[in-house]
Amino acid sequence: MVSKTHAFHVTPEKVVRKIVEAGVTHIPYLPGTERDTIHNLLTAAPELTLVPVCREGETMAIATGLIIGGKKPMVMIQNTGMFESGDSIRGFTYYARLPLVMMIGYRGWVLDGQARDSAGIYTQPILDAWRATSIPLVTDEDLDRIPEAYGIAEETGRPVALLLPDDASVPKASGASS
């Protein structure tokens, strides 16, 4: 478990490197500013195809089609978007037992017991209700779990959530502008 005094620190370049190493082919996502640095790096990665959507629930349908078509997607949304996607997660992946991996921006991450946003209060209980595996990515050492998430999703037939803290805790990429 992460200590209350632990600082979040994941390096955006290392996040993208681990995504590519995991063999991810496509990233259905909702464009936003929460993961701006990571998004810019993903866009520059020639191994990845980014698939922008209008609503987070669409990412689940697209990921389902990609999985059925033999691709390896990773949905990238924020936790509030995960709430909006609930019926799609249930309908498209949970009952079909598809190996869905989601990288979720964890807005309102509760480390010290004081949620900065109500989204932080509801994220884990919702994932628990879906019996989804949650993997916090709070340091660069945790990033080795990205490839592991696909094995867990295959084995369990349930979604796996890779949880990233707020971008405020994630340093800007080397040379990135503010």
Side-chain angles (χ1 to χ4, degrees):
M1 195 60 176
V2 179
S3 75
K4 290 183 179 184
T5 58
H6 180 82
F8 297 130
H9 179 81
V10 292
T11 307
E13 293 92 346
K14 290 180 181 179
V15 171
V16 174
R17 187 175 326 122
K18 287 297 179 182
I19 290 170
V20 170
E21 286 175 13
V24 173
T25 60
H26 294 75
I27 299 184
Y29 75 105
L30 182 67
T33 59
E34 293 83 13
R35 300 278 165 249
D36 210 25
T37 302
I38 292 173
H39 173 263
N40 291 339
L41 293 167
L42 291 169
T43 301
E47 306 88 345
L48 301 171
T49 300
L50 274 65
V51 183
V53 299
C54 296
R55 298 287 301 178
E56 292 89 343
E58 296 170 0
T59 61
M60 305 307 155
I62 291 167
T64 297
L66 289 165
I67 292 167
I68 291 169
K71 302 298 181 188
K72 192 174 186 180
M74 175 187 282
V75 166
M76 191 173 283
I77 56 178
Q78 191 176 39
N79 54 355
T80 54
M82 179 198 67
F83 303 157
E84 187 271 331
S85 303
D87 191 47
S88 296
I89 292 169
R90 178 195 59 79
F92 284 117
T93 62
Y94 187 78
Y95 288 115
R97 299 189 58 77
L98 295 176
L100 174 69
V101 175
M102 304 174 286
M103 184 170 284
I104 299 174
Y106 203 149
R107 181 176 167 188
W109 184 285
V110 179
L111 187 60
D112 59 3
Q114 301 298 315
R116 296 181 311 276
D117 186 296
S118 63
I121 296 168
Y122 299 111
T123 300
Q124 194 60 59
I126 289 171
L127 289 168
D128 291 344
W130 287 330
R131 291 184 270 161
T133 299
S134 299
I135 300 174
L137 303 176
V138 295
T139 68
D140 283 345
E141 290 75 34
D142 297 328
L143 299 178
D144 288 334
R145 300 211 53 208
I146 292 173
E148 178 188 335
Y150 285 91
I152 294 168
E154 286 280 345
E155 183 181 313
T156 64
R158 294 202 173 103
V160 175
L162 298 165
L163 302 172
L164 275 176
D166 287 339
D167 216 22
S169 320
V170 179
K172 295 289 183 191
S174 308
S177 59
S178 312

